[in-house]
Amino acid sequence: MSGSSNVAAMKKVVQQLRLEASVTRVMGAAGAAPDLKQFCLQNAQHDPLLTGVSSSTNPFRPQKVCSFL
């Protein structure tokens, strides 16, 4: 690796570390749980695991086999 590419790589690392250091974090699960619960309740109507998927729009349904005798 040449010197200039090494400097460029280190600048990217420093930039990423600065970005990560500026993120505000919620400490512990007790702090994040109410926000997570609120998000889940707000988006429950769009969750296919809760509402189900119609058989006509389900891409994972078994394909019908067409066979000729």
Side-chain angles (χ1 to χ4, degrees):
M1 196 184 262
S2 69
S4 62
S5 63
N6 192 18
V7 171
M10 294 307 288
K11 283 183 179 182
K12 288 179 92 172
V13 169
V14 169
Q15 182 182 11
Q16 180 64 32
L17 289 172
R18 285 183 178 157
L19 177 69
E20 291 177 16
S22 68
V23 173
T24 57
R25 303 191 190 293
V26 177
M27 297 305 290
D35 293 338
L36 182 58
K37 180 180 176 183
Q38 180 183 4
F39 176 82
C40 290
L41 291 174
Q42 287 175 347
N43 295 295
Q45 68 272 13
H46 304 294
D47 190 341
L49 295 175
L50 298 175
T51 60
V53 177
S54 69
S55 61
S56 63
T57 60
N58 185 357
F60 300 105
R61 72 180 184 277
Q63 298 296 320
K64 295 180 181 178
V65 178
C66 182
S67 61
F68 294 98
L69 297 175

